[in-house]
């Protein structure tokens, strides 16, 4: 099983649509979870952290299910500016510290 | 917002040549990282650096790679003898704290390395 696995995508949706991305991770000991956004040929940027209780930031809602090792991101009322690749990111312990492990990403295109 | 600065933005080199990628982390940050992303692939961890030494490295970070913080502000990644497969976008990142505070990881805009 891959360390972090995401929907292969791509997703093409009209403006205003609701879109959901899924992610699974292999290491049950992972402690921290994030969604990053990456525009074409740019650096990853933190979109939001994901907490066990679920969390919301405006149009974005993230959920975590530790038992299933599953993370989701829901985008409501999608905008053209939401077009990007969404990266599921999980921390994994390595020796005495942690590293970020990235999924391959799911590309979203929001169309007018 | 403070930012991590990387230079150059693009680097073209011949196979077998040495390259040095430069990064200026955010000034009060203590933890520094290099990641890379081959075109169309996922972002991969290379190395983390704290207190002037490597704290962790991946299997990608072999003897051809080295990191250095030569002057207290710059953080460099050196590839001694580049291979075609080293062609990738290299991202530097820094954080104030290590561990769980990876959520405060700030990435630079990257250096696109092309090995010919």
């Amino acid at each position: 099983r891959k360390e972090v696995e995401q929907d292969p995508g791509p997703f093409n949706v009209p403006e205003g649509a609701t879109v959901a991305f899924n992610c699974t991770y292999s290491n049950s000991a992972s402690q921290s979870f994030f969604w990053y956004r990456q525009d074409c040929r740019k650096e990853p940027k933190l979109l939001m952290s994901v907490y066990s209780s679920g969390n919301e930031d405006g149009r974005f809602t993230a959920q975590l299910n530790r038992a299933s090792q599953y993370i989701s991101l829901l985008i409501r009322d999608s905008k053209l500016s939401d077009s990007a690749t969404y990266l599921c990111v999980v921390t994994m312990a390595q020796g005495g510290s942690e590293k970020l492990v990235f999924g391959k990403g799911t590309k979203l295109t929001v169309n007018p | 917002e403070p930012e991590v600065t990387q230079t150059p933005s693009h680097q073209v080199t011949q196979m077998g040549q040495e390259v040095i990628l430069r990064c200026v982390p955010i000034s009060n940050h203590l933890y520094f990282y290099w990641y890379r992303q081959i075109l169309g692939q996922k972002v991969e961890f290379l190395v983390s650096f704290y207190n002037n030494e490597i704290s962790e490295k991946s299997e990608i970070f072999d003897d051809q790679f080295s990191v250095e913080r030569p002057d207290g502000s710059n953080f460099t990644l050196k590839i001694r003898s580049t291979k075609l497969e080293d062609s990738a976008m290299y991202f530097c990142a820094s954080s104030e704290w290590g561990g769980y505070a990876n959520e405060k990881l700030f990435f630079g805009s990257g250096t696109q390395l092309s090995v010919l």
Side-chain angles (χ1 to χ4, degrees), chain A residues 26-38:
Chain A
S26 62
N27 190 334
S28 59
S30 293
Q31 295 290 330
S32 301
F33 310 91
F34 313 95
W35 284 100
Y36 276 72
R37 170 198 168 122
Q38 186 176 30

Side-chain angles (χ1 to χ4, degrees), chain A residues 3 36 38 42-44 87-89 100-105, chain B residues 34-38 40-46 60 89-91 105 107:
Chain A
E3 290 181 304
Y36 276 72
Q38 186 176 30
K42 301 288 188 184
E43 73 273 24
L87 310 176
C88 177
V89 184
L100 293 181
V101 179
F102 286 76
K104 199 172 175 182
Chain B
W34 284 101
Y35 286 79
R36 79 170 187 190
Q37 187 175 30
I38 294 170
Q41 302 299 314
K42 64 179 184 177
V43 177
E44 299 175 293
F45 169 79
L46 292 178
I60 301 169
M89 180 75 89
Y90 287 81
F91 293 110
L105 203 64
F107 282 87

